[in-house]
Amino acid sequence: MALAFCGDEGNSTAYNVDHGVLNNGCFVDALNVVPHVFLLFITFPILFIGWGSQSSKVHIHHSTWLHFPGHNLRWILTFILLFVLVCEIAEGIVSDGVSESRHLHLYMPAGMAFLAAITSVVYYHNIETSNFPKLLIALLFYWTLAFITKTIKFVKFCDNGVGFSQLRFCLTGLLVVLYGMLLAVEINVIRVRRYVFFKTPKEVKPPEDLQDLGVRFLQPFVNLLSKGTYWWMNTFIKTAHKKPIDLKTIGKLPIAMRALTNYILLNEAFEAQKNKRPSSPQGSGSIWRALCCAFGRPLLLSSTFRILADLLGFAGPLCISGIVHNVGKGNNTIRPQTKILGVYFISSQEFLSNAYVLAVLLFFALLLQRTFLQASYYVAIETGINLRGAIQTKIYNKIMQLSTSNMSMGEMTAGQICNLVAIDTNQLMWFFFLCPNLWAMPVQIIVGVLLLYYLLGISALIGAAVIIVLAPVQYFVATKLSQAQRSTLEYSNERLKKTNEMLRGIKLLKLYAWEHIFHSSVEETRQKEMTSLKSFALYTSISIFMNAAIPIAAVLITFVVHAHLTRKADFSPSVAFASISLFHILVSPLFLLSSVVRSTVKALDALLVLPPIPVISAFLFFSQPLKVVNRKRPAREDWNNYTTHTILKLVFSFLFCPPALSNIDIRIPQGQLTMIVGQVGCGKSSLLLAILGEMQKISGTVSWSSPEKESPVEMEFRGSVAYASQKPWLLNATVEENITFESSFNKQRYKAVIDACSLQPDIDILPHGDQTQIGERGINLSGGQRQRISVARALYQQTNVVFLDDPFSALDIHLSDHLMQEGILKMLREDKRTVVLVTHKLQYLPHADWIIAMKDGYIQREGTLKDIQKSETELFEHWKTLMNRQDQELEKETTIETKTVLERTNLRRTMYSREALLKDDEEDEEEATESDDEDNLSSVLHQRAKMPWRACGKYLSAAGILLLPLLVLSQLLKHTVMVAIDYCLARWTSDAISGKMEVELKNCSYCEVFNHSPYSKVFSILCCLGIVLCLVTSIAVEWTGLKVTKKLHASLLNKIILAPMRFFETTPLGSILNRFSADCNTIDQHIPATLECLSRSTLLCVSALAVISYVTPMFLIALVPLAIMCYFIQKYFRVASRDLQQLDDSTQLPLLSHFSETVEGLTTIRAFRYEAKFRQKLLEYTDSNNIASLFLTAANRWLEVRMEYIGACVVLIAAVTSITSCLYSKLSSGLVGLGLTYALMVSNYLNWMVRNLADMEIQLGAVKRIHGLLKTEAENYEGLLSSSQIPQNWPDRGEIQIQNLSVRYDSNLKPVLKHVNAHISPGQKIGICGRTGSGKSSFSLAFFRMVDTFEGRIIIDGIDIAKLPLQTLRSRLSIILQDPILFSGTIRFNLDPEKKCTDSMLWEALEIAQLKHVVKALPGGLDAIVTEGGENFSQGQRQLFCLARAFVRKTSIFIMDEATASIDMATENILQKVVMTAFADRTVVTIAHRVHTILNADLVIVMKRGLILEYDKPEVLLEQEDSVFASFVQADK
């Protein structure tokens, strides 16, 4: 066929210019090419040659500076222009198809215009980001020329009678408008920026964010194309693949998204609401209005995007219907009647009856729909994140103003506040995210039902009714699901509590052979949890089943009714497959709507608001009960001048209580040491709080004097006060940061403070010295260590006023003296600082310059010690007797190991076990680190990109041999049946339409009507089978999940409880607990759902691609590049997604702990006047968390947009290939419909597949970690002797022979006992002593085989203990440990968990342990409750209970390992006598804490570095002058 610009039909109409050149259509089209050619020639050299040299002039960080006016409008107009040009090209090709020769002028100018439009926008973008506005002059000329030439063409069409019925006329008119608008935009740029035609161009500066190298989140700054496709994320995701993402990589938040900006925005909205309704009370209604006012606009935008996306979604079914319909008719376009200017014109109806045109339109509709949908998600989530940041900041500011009394009266607990921040603000964020669904979904459902009615008539309504009727059932299931989840959580918490107790007391359990008791207790709770999990799994499977089965049921009912009831109805493939697509569209909003409505209905309050709103508003708008502490802050430089303070007649109280302090009238002298003394509960601490303004003032004033100002100032204007509270408060920070507390670092002063508080020995023990993290998330310090750090903070500050609230309470006498002398007297008093000290240590009273004695909330006496001695002789004498008693305590406490030494020993132990495990168990990279160092990074990166298939295999193999095949087969069968259903429908409709056409061709009235019955029977059977298989698969998945979770937890519990003690010493408790909590929860609840979703979306995609390939094998060629793209996109995404997910989780922890530590340390923060610094910290933590969440959202959108676009390409290729096959290879129209319906499904499920793959990867980490613990070697519980070979009452005599014994803690560690030999006769009392670390405790553990005996043996009553089963050995001996361990439960359970003893035996044991009177006084006696860890008893009482527990066992060998360390001297002496009498016939081995306790022993063993140094009777050793034992006794006197 001839090809010519104006056509070659042998006639001269194409070249006829008789009526003037402009009346020749071909010439006008040729004229239209000129502007486009001009632009291409002008811009190409600038774009490709001149760019490199010029871009270097730009001095900003990102090439994303969009600063020309009308920027977004230009992009939108260009996109519309491109779409109209594509339509013009298509129109030209279609209308030219009816001519004998090809008329290039119908579509070539449009093609050139398309190229020019793309070039124009690329050129514009480069000019804008490089800031060369003068080069825009080329575009000004281009738009002018294009506008003129198009207008000429439009005018000529009007002259020749072309009207609106012709499509080309409408397109030309549209183009005139678009070019005109683009020209207007260009002129506007000149008007605003004055870069040409004006003398002085306008200078503009890039925004602050773009000048900041730290801002890497570019979504707000990039152009529309990059915004819609998240193109700017490409470099970020590539980098993530090369190195792990951390906070540094993601940078800072843009200013507009920072918590502070959003807080100001929200606050302004609040204020506006207050001003509007000054009289009405502030409640949840006004907070709701304020939120809408502050964040309503982006939400409206998101909803608009969502509704547009949903409406565009219906283009799919409509285009499928049109394509299949047109293909069925052979794609014969109606021959156009109109021929004007030598060419044919077609109407829009003729244009849309071309299948290829519909395929292209469908492609564009899909692209646009997916872009709008992702934009809607993004805007909603971003708004939610901004809102969360603002509300968290608002809550924090409110916390900063809370009165301490609210906290102490329990009106607002730290837990409630943390819940408010962690849960309620997140709920609010998610509501904002779901908000667009609330009004978009009903629109989608209504339009869907209307379209179904248009296609199928009344039968569609019956099908839709099925879906709508079952929606409440789904709602009911969703409600039941959340109930099941709640009860699971309760049992899970109970199980964790028991597991935690079991792990904390594991040493005791092993020594007493009680593992099985606690094991069965945890298992019992687990059984309850499993029952709850079963109902959770049941409802989950019903939910999954309904979601899959409802569309099948709806389609079945609709088509059977449609075929049989409405005989004359149109039952063609076009109707059938369009309906199927519509049903698929309808199901998802209905399914989602039930959960969206549930979360909203649950939320409905009086004002139709969400649950978080009343909670948050109740907190933010507290009326009277929460008294806000009002304080205005002075300028920083004035702070340190306030030194003297006077307190005049004051009455203070906690809220709604009788006054805590009354008639206080005191003066605190400047630059002197004031001590406040009095009994417990007389109001000493309250007085300090009152001075600081922390209490509710009923009457009176507090005045602070300043040397510069004549008159005293009000409390609100006081300066900073260094304050150490009674209960020490630490930050989650390093030791150094806790002491310097935001002040500048002064090395000399720091050293002096450390020395004064005797912290150096403690710091030396810590793994990183003073850079070690302490506090809630750091290393647990003892009470005394915490108190000394808290006091060190107060000493370090340079404030003029220092308040110390009972700083000596947790310190022993030496430390107290040292702190008093070096710290308070030397550092503070000599510096003339005003010090107020609350204390019970009356021996320090002589040092006080001023003393305030308190009693029952009023001042008993104030003055110097001499004043009080003179005026209050009785009080002074009372103090004197107390001072003497405290001095006697001082003498008592000088033993071998004081309280502090014990604290340090415990800290050393903690450190030792931590040091042994300096591997991070969260990042299980054990396989990755096997290679050499230089390959390390690459292997780690390779590891990060790999799917944990091994963990997946382990998970599935745990399901067992029966379930796994059922799971796989049912899934495959289900999807095969689904394909069969659709294939059957394709055959049915194709045959029905061909039958109908035959009838029409024969044109006979008596011809047999097409029989639907056989088809509908097969279709019904397949549908029912499909529904049954949906049920089977959903149950199989959940059943598999249940079986795996049951098996894994049981194996984990068995492994852990039988693990050797060494394992617990080297593995942090938190790490083991995490396996039982977070990881078990993931395996219980998350993996089954993710697995189901992943398998469903994968198999749907595979079956869809298989169907398309079967329909048109040509499709396979195009599939290869698309598959490669998919592979790389998911590979890169998974790595980035996992890192960002972890970052999102890890940035939430500091934020929550900052809230809780602020709540706990409110008084201290306000005393120091550090509110601003803490607010700043909060903003940093919030921004870090928000930027991680935003990047995670952007990464998800990045993936989804790409996957959706690939899906759209699949649809386009499938459509074009199937149309071609149908037209040229006689493919049935039913199969075309089938292929297209499946192609649409691919685009829906592709991104689900990748998202679930990424989730699965993160979740399988839990399986991997648990399997890591399952590799732990268990202790060898089996013995060489059977139970029949061991005498029933062994050991009955208690004779112990130790022969050449050497033990170590682990095979790769040094021995702790070396070649020890000893013989202990039956009934002997042995004392073992030695310095810390000499091997005393290891000696006792060797009897229980808790340590590795690698040489020698221990023989008890003639049996080598190495041959005994562990359970037997440990159950026949008794030991009391240094650390008292009690379990929650009853006293009876703690003494005798095996339930072997009678009550009289238990009372006897309690009497021996001096506890009978204590237990008798408790409600319930032996059945009285012991709280977790025995917290309701004192340390000494706990130790006595442990003694009683050992007495109950009545074994002939009894070991006491420093068992009396926490008992006072008097009780200890009684116990020693009891042990000697009650155990006269038993062998007792005592490891001594105080040497004098073993002076009455039969034999003494002195140990040093694992060797026996001395071994003899105590009296013999005492006679030897050089005896080590004698020197110990001497030191203990």
PDB file of all heavy atoms in Angstrom, residues 1485-1500:
ATOM      1  N   VAL A1485      27.655 -28.073 105.289  1.00  0.00           N
ATOM      2  CA  VAL A1485      28.792 -27.346 104.711  1.00  0.00           C
ATOM      3  C   VAL A1485      28.386 -25.869 104.643  1.00  0.00           C
ATOM      4  O   VAL A1485      27.432 -25.513 103.951  1.00  0.00           O
ATOM      5  CB  VAL A1485      29.136 -27.865 103.291  1.00  0.00           C
ATOM      6  CG1 VAL A1485      30.291 -27.073 102.701  1.00  0.00           C
ATOM      7  CG2 VAL A1485      29.471 -29.346 103.335  1.00  0.00           C
ATOM      8  N   THR A1486      29.084 -24.997 105.393  1.00  0.00           N
ATOM      9  CA  THR A1486      28.751 -23.573 105.407  1.00  0.00           C
ATOM     10  C   THR A1486      29.816 -22.781 104.675  1.00  0.00           C
ATOM     11  O   THR A1486      30.996 -22.872 105.021  1.00  0.00           O
ATOM     12  CB  THR A1486      28.653 -23.060 106.863  1.00  0.00           C
ATOM     13  OG1 THR A1486      27.741 -23.897 107.571  1.00  0.00           O
ATOM     14  CG2 THR A1486      28.172 -21.624 106.910  1.00  0.00           C
ATOM     15  N   ILE A1487      29.402 -22.025 103.671  1.00  0.00           N
ATOM     16  CA  ILE A1487      30.335 -21.100 103.018  1.00  0.00           C
ATOM     17  C   ILE A1487      30.139 -19.761 103.706  1.00  0.00           C
ATOM     18  O   ILE A1487      29.044 -19.209 103.699  1.00  0.00           O
ATOM     19  CB  ILE A1487      30.065 -21.025 101.507  1.00  0.00           C
ATOM     20  CG1 ILE A1487      30.461 -22.363 100.886  1.00  0.00           C
ATOM     21  CG2 ILE A1487      30.841 -19.892 100.866  1.00  0.00           C
ATOM     22  CD1 ILE A1487      29.945 -22.575  99.510  1.00  0.00           C
ATOM     23  N   ALA A1488      31.214 -19.255 104.345  1.00  0.00           N
ATOM     24  CA  ALA A1488      31.048 -18.157 105.293  1.00  0.00           C
ATOM     25  C   ALA A1488      31.068 -16.803 104.635  1.00  0.00           C
ATOM     26  O   ALA A1488      31.863 -16.512 103.761  1.00  0.00           O
ATOM     27  CB  ALA A1488      32.142 -18.237 106.340  1.00  0.00           C
ATOM     28  N   HIS A1489      30.151 -15.958 105.113  1.00  0.00           N
ATOM     29  CA  HIS A1489      30.098 -14.555 104.710  1.00  0.00           C
ATOM     30  C   HIS A1489      30.828 -13.749 105.791  1.00  0.00           C
ATOM     31  O   HIS A1489      31.654 -12.895 105.507  1.00  0.00           O
ATOM     32  CB  HIS A1489      28.628 -14.148 104.610  1.00  0.00           C
ATOM     33  CG  HIS A1489      28.416 -12.687 104.523  1.00  0.00           C
ATOM     34  ND1 HIS A1489      28.910 -11.951 103.484  1.00  0.00           N
ATOM     35  CD2 HIS A1489      27.764 -11.821 105.342  1.00  0.00           C
ATOM     36  CE1 HIS A1489      28.570 -10.694 103.670  1.00  0.00           C
ATOM     37  NE2 HIS A1489      27.882 -10.580 104.792  1.00  0.00           N
ATOM     38  N   ARG A1490      30.507 -14.068 107.060  1.00  0.00           N
ATOM     39  CA  ARG A1490      31.240 -13.472 108.177  1.00  0.00           C
ATOM     40  C   ARG A1490      31.984 -14.619 108.862  1.00  0.00           C
ATOM     41  O   ARG A1490      31.368 -15.603 109.263  1.00  0.00           O
ATOM     42  CB  ARG A1490      30.259 -12.821 109.160  1.00  0.00           C
ATOM     43  CG  ARG A1490      29.382 -11.741 108.516  1.00  0.00           C
ATOM     44  CD  ARG A1490      28.440 -11.151 109.551  1.00  0.00           C
ATOM     45  NE  ARG A1490      27.641 -10.064 108.967  1.00  0.00           N
ATOM     46  CZ  ARG A1490      26.332 -10.140 108.755  1.00  0.00           C
ATOM     47  NH1 ARG A1490      25.678 -11.251 109.039  1.00  0.00           N
ATOM     48  NH2 ARG A1490      25.674  -9.103 108.259  1.00  0.00           N
ATOM     49  N   VAL A1491      33.297 -14.475 109.045  1.00  0.00           N
ATOM     50  CA  VAL A1491      34.129 -15.592 109.512  1.00  0.00           C
ATOM     51  C   VAL A1491      33.701 -16.098 110.889  1.00  0.00           C
ATOM     52  O   VAL A1491      33.760 -17.288 111.166  1.00  0.00           O
ATOM     53  CB  VAL A1491      35.620 -15.160 109.530  1.00  0.00           C
ATOM     54  CG1 VAL A1491      36.504 -16.315 109.963  1.00  0.00           C
ATOM     55  CG2 VAL A1491      36.032 -14.705 108.156  1.00  0.00           C
ATOM     56  N   HIS A1492      33.206 -15.223 111.745  1.00  0.00           N
ATOM     57  CA  HIS A1492      32.875 -15.656 113.108  1.00  0.00           C
ATOM     58  C   HIS A1492      31.757 -16.698 113.130  1.00  0.00           C
ATOM     59  O   HIS A1492      31.559 -17.400 114.110  1.00  0.00           O
ATOM     60  CB  HIS A1492      32.515 -14.453 113.996  1.00  0.00           C
ATOM     61  CG  HIS A1492      31.255 -13.768 113.581  1.00  0.00           C
ATOM     62  ND1 HIS A1492      30.024 -14.211 113.958  1.00  0.00           N
ATOM     63  CD2 HIS A1492      31.059 -12.663 112.803  1.00  0.00           C
ATOM     64  CE1 HIS A1492      29.093 -13.425 113.441  1.00  0.00           C
ATOM     65  NE2 HIS A1492      29.707 -12.473 112.740  1.00  0.00           N
ATOM     66  N   THR A1493      31.003 -16.814 112.012  1.00  0.00           N
ATOM     67  CA  THR A1493      29.906 -17.794 111.994  1.00  0.00           C
ATOM     68  C   THR A1493      30.424 -19.226 111.889  1.00  0.00           C
ATOM     69  O   THR A1493      29.666 -20.159 112.127  1.00  0.00           O
ATOM     70  CB  THR A1493      28.955 -17.526 110.805  1.00  0.00           C
ATOM     71  OG1 THR A1493      29.714 -17.586 109.614  1.00  0.00           O
ATOM     72  CG2 THR A1493      28.277 -16.197 110.925  1.00  0.00           C
ATOM     73  N   ILE A1494      31.689 -19.421 111.509  1.00  0.00           N
ATOM     74  CA  ILE A1494      32.174 -20.815 111.370  1.00  0.00           C
ATOM     75  C   ILE A1494      33.207 -21.170 112.439  1.00  0.00           C
ATOM     76  O   ILE A1494      33.913 -22.156 112.321  1.00  0.00           O
ATOM     77  CB  ILE A1494      32.739 -21.070 109.949  1.00  0.00           C
ATOM     78  CG1 ILE A1494      33.813 -20.056 109.566  1.00  0.00           C
ATOM     79  CG2 ILE A1494      31.637 -21.081 108.914  1.00  0.00           C
ATOM     80  CD1 ILE A1494      34.577 -20.412 108.313  1.00  0.00           C
ATOM     81  N   LEU A1495      33.297 -20.337 113.483  1.00  0.00           N
ATOM     82  CA  LEU A1495      34.264 -20.631 114.556  1.00  0.00           C
ATOM     83  C   LEU A1495      33.889 -21.910 115.302  1.00  0.00           C
ATOM     84  O   LEU A1495      34.743 -22.580 115.864  1.00  0.00           O
ATOM     85  CB  LEU A1495      34.347 -19.447 115.530  1.00  0.00           C
ATOM     86  CG  LEU A1495      35.063 -18.208 114.973  1.00  0.00           C
ATOM     87  CD1 LEU A1495      34.951 -17.047 115.947  1.00  0.00           C
ATOM     88  CD2 LEU A1495      36.528 -18.493 114.671  1.00  0.00           C
ATOM     89  N   ASN A1496      32.583 -22.250 115.309  1.00  0.00           N
ATOM     90  CA  ASN A1496      32.137 -23.455 116.027  1.00  0.00           C
ATOM     91  C   ASN A1496      32.144 -24.692 115.140  1.00  0.00           C
ATOM     92  O   ASN A1496      31.682 -25.752 115.563  1.00  0.00           O
ATOM     93  CB  ASN A1496      30.720 -23.258 116.574  1.00  0.00           C
ATOM     94  CG  ASN A1496      30.657 -22.069 117.509  1.00  0.00           C
ATOM     95  OD1 ASN A1496      31.656 -21.749 118.148  1.00  0.00           O
ATOM     96  ND2 ASN A1496      29.510 -21.410 117.574  1.00  0.00           N
ATOM     97  N   ALA A1497      32.622 -24.584 113.885  1.00  0.00           N
ATOM     98  CA  ALA A1497      32.593 -25.727 112.970  1.00  0.00           C
ATOM     99  C   ALA A1497      33.581 -26.809 113.415  1.00  0.00           C
ATOM    100  O   ALA A1497      34.531 -26.527 114.156  1.00  0.00           O
ATOM    101  CB  ALA A1497      32.919 -25.259 111.561  1.00  0.00           C
ATOM    102  N   ASP A1498      33.345 -28.050 112.927  1.00  0.00           N
ATOM    103  CA  ASP A1498      34.266 -29.146 113.253  1.00  0.00           C
ATOM    104  C   ASP A1498      35.555 -29.001 112.440  1.00  0.00           C
ATOM    105  O   ASP A1498      36.645 -29.323 112.914  1.00  0.00           O
ATOM    106  CB  ASP A1498      33.612 -30.494 112.927  1.00  0.00           C
ATOM    107  CG  ASP A1498      32.324 -30.682 113.726  1.00  0.00           C
ATOM    108  OD1 ASP A1498      32.258 -30.148 114.846  1.00  0.00           O
ATOM    109  OD2 ASP A1498      31.387 -31.323 113.210  1.00  0.00           O
ATOM    110  N   LEU A1499      35.401 -28.573 111.190  1.00  0.00           N
ATOM    111  CA  LEU A1499      36.568 -28.412 110.311  1.00  0.00           C
ATOM    112  C   LEU A1499      36.434 -27.101 109.547  1.00  0.00           C
ATOM    113  O   LEU A1499      35.328 -26.687 109.221  1.00  0.00           O
ATOM    114  CB  LEU A1499      36.621 -29.550 109.275  1.00  0.00           C
ATOM    115  CG  LEU A1499      37.325 -30.860 109.632  1.00  0.00           C
ATOM    116  CD1 LEU A1499      37.177 -31.817 108.474  1.00  0.00           C
ATOM    117  CD2 LEU A1499      38.819 -30.651 109.918  1.00  0.00           C
ATOM    118  N   VAL A1500      37.585 -26.463 109.237  1.00  0.00           N
ATOM    119  CA  VAL A1500      37.555 -25.243 108.424  1.00  0.00           C
ATOM    120  C   VAL A1500      38.437 -25.459 107.198  1.00  0.00           C
ATOM    121  O   VAL A1500      39.547 -25.990 107.306  1.00  0.00           O
ATOM    122  CB  VAL A1500      38.058 -24.027 109.232  1.00  0.00           C
ATOM    123  CG1 VAL A1500      38.321 -22.850 108.319  1.00  0.00           C
ATOM    124  CG2 VAL A1500      37.035 -23.628 110.281  1.00  0.00           C
TER     125      VAL A1500
END
